[in-house]
Each structure stands twice: as structure tokens, then as C-alpha cells.
Amino acid sequence: MSEISRASIELFVGTMNDGGTAMWILFSLNLLLWYGLGVRQYILKRWTFHHVRRLVQLHETQGTQRKAKELLDKAIVDALAAAREARKLGLKPRHHIMDALSPHFRSINTYSVLVKTIVVVAPLIGLLGTVDGMIEAFDALQTSAMFAQGASISGGISKALFTTELGLVVAVPGLIIGRSLDQKADRFALEFDQVADILSTKEDRDEI
């Protein structure tokens, strides 16, 4: 390990230790947050811009020759299979189709609760770290320990406030990106409902 890398690690660890336990908790939450956001972004990524009805037609005409590239494609494949099974059993297709789509409804909400929880909790932990740091700073001032060490009260408060800043740094991007991903998830949910409506209506027309 080079001297620069070792110095960087020591600086990072020293900064985290200065902020206390709250800093390490916020750092861990930040890693979890970006992991959750990354997984959600991958799941909710659109690979095609065809509208739902066109995608259903493509899968019906091309069958297994058309590869299921994304979440909506896979949902259509499962919905078509459920519609065929319902036709064989002589049942209404709507319930079968929705049962087939239920795993996809769950997948679009993967890590949604985790992201929202971290966005709410991170500022509170940052504030808790600041309060703890302020208590230590004023205790040191009361015992004159800070003056004996040549430090100032402003320096102690500055370190204490750093945890609040870090809590906001964790929460704000998570809030913005998480809201954007929630909108994508809502769009997928609407498209899943459209798939079910299209196939159910088609089956009803075929029966007539």
C-alpha cells in the first residue's frame, strides 16, 4: 500500500472517529442507501420505448423468438402464459393474469422501504450525533479541558455539527433519486395493469 493511500485511510478513519459513533452509522447507512438505489435503478431500467399494446402484439406474434429484455417484457410473457392456461381451464383470465403479474408488482418495490427508511433516519442520527458532540464540547468547556488542550469551543461545535451535515448529505440525494425511482415504479405498475386489461379484454372478445 502506497504512502498516499495509507495517509488517506488514516485521514478518513480519524475524521470518522472525531464524529463519534454517529459518523460510522451514517457511513453504513450511506452504503446501504446507494446499494438499494443501484438495485432499484437496474430493475426499473427501460430498454425499449414501445407502448404496452405494441409490446403485447410483438410477443403474441413472435412468441419465444422474442427475448424478454426487461421487466415489462417478462411480465407480458408471464401474463400471456397465464391467459393461455386460463383459456384451457375455461376460467376468466383476469385473476390468472394478475396472479402471474404479482411477482413483478413486488419486484418494482424492491428496496423501496429501505431507501425511504434511510432517508428519514439519516438526518435524525446526524442530529443525535450533533447533540452528543455539543454535550461533550460543553462538558469539556466546563472542566476547562478544551482550553488545557489548546482547542477552542468553536472547534468542538464545528466537529459536532459535521454529523448533521453528513446526515443531510445522505438523505437529500436519497430523497431525490428515490422519488424519481418511485415514479418509474408507478409507471410500471400502471403498465402491468394495462397488460392485464388488454389480455382480459382480448380473451373476452375471443369468447364472443
Side-chain angles (χ1 to χ4, degrees):
M1 185 182 295
S2 65
E3 291 296 329
I4 296 178
S5 299
R6 186 178 294 108
S8 299
I9 293 174
E10 290 177 355
L11 177 62
F12 170 76
V13 173
T15 302
M16 297 296 289
N17 287 334
D18 286 341
T21 305
M23 290 286 286
W24 288 106
I25 295 175
L26 289 171
F27 177 72
S28 301
L29 289 177
N30 192 45
L31 293 179
L32 284 174
L33 173 67
W34 286 102
Y35 174 77
L37 290 174
V39 172
R40 295 209 76 206
Q41 175 63 31
Y42 178 77
I43 292 174
L44 298 173
K45 185 175 178 60
R46 287 298 297 264
W47 299 93
T48 178
F49 295 98
H50 291 305
H51 56 79
V52 174
R53 190 173 295 277
R54 175 59 177 163
L55 282 174
V56 172
Q57 292 173 348
L58 288 174
H59 280 284
E60 286 180 325
T61 55
Q62 298 178 11
T64 57
Q65 296 179 354
R66 179 175 175 81
K67 295 180 66 176
K69 298 180 181 179
E70 62 164 300
L71 183 61
L72 183 57
D73 279 315
K74 295 175 182 177
I76 292 173
V77 170
D78 290 343
L80 285 169
R84 288 192 293 268
E85 182 181 355
R87 189 189 305 124
K88 291 179 182 179
L89 296 174
L91 302 174
K92 291 292 184 180
R94 178 78 185 186
H95 294 302
H96 268 65
I97 293 172
M98 292 306 294
D99 286 341
L101 291 176
S102 60
H104 301 289
F105 276 103
R106 289 194 298 270
S107 68
I108 62 177
N109 293 314
T110 301
Y111 292 124
S112 175
V113 174
L114 174 68
V115 170
K116 292 177 181 177
T117 301
I118 292 176
V119 165
V120 172
V121 169
L124 299 177
I125 293 177
L127 182 60
L128 179 62
T130 294
V131 171
D132 186 55
M134 294 283 283
I135 292 173
E136 290 183 3
F138 284 113
D139 280 344
L141 177 63
Q142 184 179 6
T143 60
S144 299
M146 294 186 71
F147 294 107
Q149 297 170 3
S152 65
I153 184 63
S154 60
I157 294 174
S158 176
K159 287 183 179 180
L161 291 173
F162 189 64
T163 56
T164 296
E165 182 182 17
L166 183 60
L168 293 174
V169 167
V170 172
V172 172
L175 177 63
I176 296 172
I177 300 174
R179 184 66 58 85
S180 174
L181 293 175
D182 285 342
Q183 291 175 351
K184 290 183 179 181
D186 291 340
R187 184 184 65 186
F188 270 109
L190 178 61
E191 288 173 333
F192 294 160
D193 285 332
Q194 289 176 342
V195 170
D197 290 339
I198 291 169
L199 294 179
S200 299
T201 304
K202 182 178 182 302
E203 293 295 325
D204 291 340
R205 286 202 305 268
D206 291 344
E207 290 179 2
I208 297 174

